[in-house]
Amino acid sequence: LGRGSAGNGSRRWPEAKESMAPHNLLSKKRVTSARLGGLRSGRCSCSGSGQQHARPAGATPFSLSDSLRRQHQRGSFQLARAEASEPANAPEETDPAPVDATANLGGTPVKPTSMLVVGATGTLGRQVVRKALDAGYEVRCLVRPRERPADFLRDWGAIVVNGDLTNPETLPPALVGVHTVIDCATGRPEESVKQVDWEGKVALIQTCQAMKIQKYVFYSIFNCDKHLSVPLMSIKYQTEKFLEESGLDFTVIRLCGFMQAVISQYAVPILEEKSVYGTDDQTKIAYMDTTDVARLTLAALEKKDSSRNVLTFAGPQAFTIQQVIGLCERYAGADAKVSKVPMWQLTATRVLTSFFQWTVDVTDRMAFAEVLNSNESFVAPMQDTYAELGVDPNQTMTLERYLQEYYSVVLKKLKEVGAQSRQGDYYL
């Protein structure tokens, strides 16, 4: 996924095409429609949209004759005998509709509103779950086993199933009866970027192939194709390519940045009178509220012409770090303690950490941070996207209004409890 220069400790990431053959994570536990439904017809009883396998040369077409129905009632699908009992010159029958065919053969039709959200407890995932439930979708959430269960997802009306991208054998049961998969997952700071965001996603996509999932939505990073030397961005781009080659019907959504990240990185520390870190660069990021990202995602699902394409979601206006800090100071009524980090120091630290195996993933994430401080603008025009999705751009949250509403809620709560300062446990 990108080759680093010699001597700086950079790694060479595997190409997506190289991973598809020798690194098939489901090769030993491959899920097939035959195993799931016990049917040799090639129809998948999970999604109802599987393609019928081609017959060998010379094979005669078959139909559900009386003898086959009697065999079906006895619980045996001996299609070879049924085929042999048909005349050699029998006309080819027209394939019935996928859902009807699946139902006739004992499978369960899949509703277009059935959805699996991967990474449902995350900043973006939970907003996708809420918006999908409000829109009438039947939402299933893939959640890693945890000490504190995600009860809030159940309270909203979603179904929670345990699974882990790093354990591919846990994925097939979660996908049974699912029409659409929305992939919001990403590795935690303490986790391996390669293991979760590459190997885990390859396993998920391969499982979706085997289960005949009819729609896959993947969240990527804006301009990831221009920064292949950065492991996280390179992985996102290679995953996009892997999806293209998978044969799945997909939509890739590239994002610039979340407003929620501004809260944890700047708004809360300033309110708690703690130091915040910044640089003197002029990198601009068009932050977007995850609620709006979820809303636009569901709008894209309703559009048939959004299949197998790449969309970019960006906020109404782009801001530098200095401008973000200024907004937080204005609405918090407090001065920020800013510790500026020179770019040469960030680069030197990244090179130093690359020499140690236990800091490799830290290096990868610092490389991403370095890109976000490189005087590049992470902003994209949205007029055509709003028109294509039929969404009113005036409904999109601005960063100023988001911070103003956040601080008004927090400061009101602080006044109610009689606190003097340092309170940051409230999130919109």
Side-chain angles (χ1 to χ4, degrees), residues 242-421:
F242 192 84
L243 263 176
E244 292 180 8
E245 298 172 358
S246 69
L248 293 171
D249 182 6
F250 68 89
T251 296
V252 171
I253 299 176
R254 292 182 173 182
L255 304 174
C256 295
F258 296 152
M259 293 182 183
Q260 282 72 10
V262 173
I263 298 299
S264 60
Q265 295 177 12
Y266 301 103
V268 171
I270 290 175
L271 197 61
E272 293 184 333
E273 302 176 1
K274 295 180 179 179
S275 296
V276 294
Y277 296 92
T279 62
D280 291 328
D281 68 282
Q282 296 301 310
T283 299
K284 288 189 174 183
I285 300 177
Y287 299 98
M288 178 172 269
D289 186 0
T290 54
T291 302
D292 290 323
V293 174
R295 179 169 58 91
L296 294 177
T297 298
L298 294 179
L301 286 179
E302 298 296 327
K303 297 293 182 179
K304 295 181 179 180
D305 55 357
S306 65
S307 298
R308 299 189 66 82
N309 66 350
V310 179
L311 302 174
T312 298
F313 292 170
Q317 186 177 354
F319 296 87
T320 64
I321 292 178
Q322 294 88 340
Q323 290 173 330
V324 170
I325 293 175
L327 289 174
C328 292
E329 289 178 321
R330 180 198 310 172
Y331 296 121
D335 294 330
K337 299 178 181 179
V338 182
S339 299
K340 294 185 178 181
V341 180
M343 285 302 301
W344 67 265
Q345 183 176 343
L346 182 62
T347 303
T349 304
R350 180 168 69 89
V351 173
L352 178 63
T353 56
S354 68
F355 289 112
F356 305 97
Q357 182 62 36
W358 55 275
T359 57
V360 164
D361 291 302
V362 175
T363 303
D364 295 342
R365 296 184 185 278
M366 289 185 68
F368 180 63
E370 188 175 330
V371 171
L372 296 182
N373 293 278
S374 58
N375 293 321
E376 183 176 349
S377 293
F378 286 80
V379 59
M382 288 287 292
Q383 292 84 356
D384 293 341
T385 301
Y386 284 125
E388 177 184 349
L389 301 182
V391 175
D392 183 4
N394 295 322
Q395 296 179 355
T396 301
M397 177 71 73
T398 64
L399 183 61
E400 296 100 318
R401 183 157 59 95
Y402 182 83
L403 289 173
Q404 187 175 14
E405 292 181 2
Y406 172 80
Y407 278 117
S408 65
V409 171
V410 173
L411 294 177
K412 180 181 178 180
K413 179 63 68 173
L414 289 176
K415 184 177 181 180
E416 290 175 357
V417 300
Q420 298 299 319
S421 63

Side-chain angles (χ1 to χ4, degrees), residues 66-319:
D66 293 338
S67 61
L68 181 56
R69 292 192 183 94
R70 288 194 295 271
Q71 291 175 6
H72 171 60
Q73 293 173 356
R74 293 194 302 268
S76 173
F77 285 94
Q78 300 178 358
L79 297 185
R81 296 182 182 179
E83 291 178 358
S85 65
E86 294 290 336
N89 58 351
E92 185 73 29
E93 293 188 0
T94 304
D95 270 355
V99 172
D100 293 338
T102 307
N104 290 337
L105 291 174
T108 302
V110 172
K111 298 180 180 179
T113 55
S114 60
M115 174 188 298
L116 176 70
V117 179
V118 184
T121 61
T123 302
L124 175 59
R126 63 181 62 196
Q127 297 300 334
V128 171
V129 172
R130 293 194 71 167
K131 290 295 183 182
L133 289 171
D134 292 343
Y137 284 86
E138 299 176 4
V139 182
R140 190 181 304 175
C141 303
L142 183 70
V143 177
R144 284 184 282 192
R146 48 199 290 173
E147 295 180 1
R148 302 177 63 181
D151 290 335
F152 69 95
L153 296 173
R154 295 188 180 92
D155 294 341
W156 292 348
I159 299 173
V160 177
V161 294
N162 286 336
D164 193 335
L165 293 179
T166 60
N167 295 320
E169 64 273 11
T170 66
L171 302 179
L175 289 167
V176 174
V178 169
H179 179 280
T180 301
V181 171
I182 299 186
D183 179 9
C184 309
T186 190
R188 298 168 181 167
E190 69 273 11
E191 293 178 322
S192 167
V193 175
K194 179 184 178 183
Q195 185 178 15
V196 177
D197 287 272
W198 173 244
E199 296 177 354
K201 297 305 178 72
V202 168
L204 178 60
I205 294 171
Q206 289 176 338
T207 307
C208 289
Q209 286 178 287
M211 303 285 285
K212 309 297 182 184
I213 297 301
Q214 299 179 44
K215 184 72 175 182
Y216 192 103
V217 178
F218 174 68
Y219 291 104
S220 186
I221 301 175
F222 180 66
N223 279 349
C224 61
D225 53 327
K226 299 179 181 179
H227 299 280
L228 299 181
S229 62
V230 179
L232 180 59
M233 301 185 79
S234 182
I235 283 175
K236 291 291 187 181
Y237 179 68
Q238 295 299 341
T239 304
E240 292 181 10
K241 294 304 177 184
F242 192 84
L243 263 176
E244 292 180 8
E245 298 172 358
S246 69
L248 293 171
D249 182 6
F250 68 89
T251 296
V252 171
I253 299 176
R254 292 182 173 182
L255 304 174
C256 295
F258 296 152
M259 293 182 183
Q260 282 72 10
V262 173
I263 298 299
S264 60
Q265 295 177 12
Y266 301 103
V268 171
I270 290 175
L271 197 61
E272 293 184 333
E273 302 176 1
K274 295 180 179 179
S275 296
V276 294
Y277 296 92
T279 62
D280 291 328
D281 68 282
Q282 296 301 310
T283 299
K284 288 189 174 183
I285 300 177
Y287 299 98
M288 178 172 269
D289 186 0
T290 54
T291 302
D292 290 323
V293 174
R295 179 169 58 91
L296 294 177
T297 298
L298 294 179
L301 286 179
E302 298 296 327
K303 297 293 182 179
K304 295 181 179 180
D305 55 357
S306 65
S307 298
R308 299 189 66 82
N309 66 350
V310 179
L311 302 174
T312 298
F313 292 170
Q317 186 177 354
F319 296 87

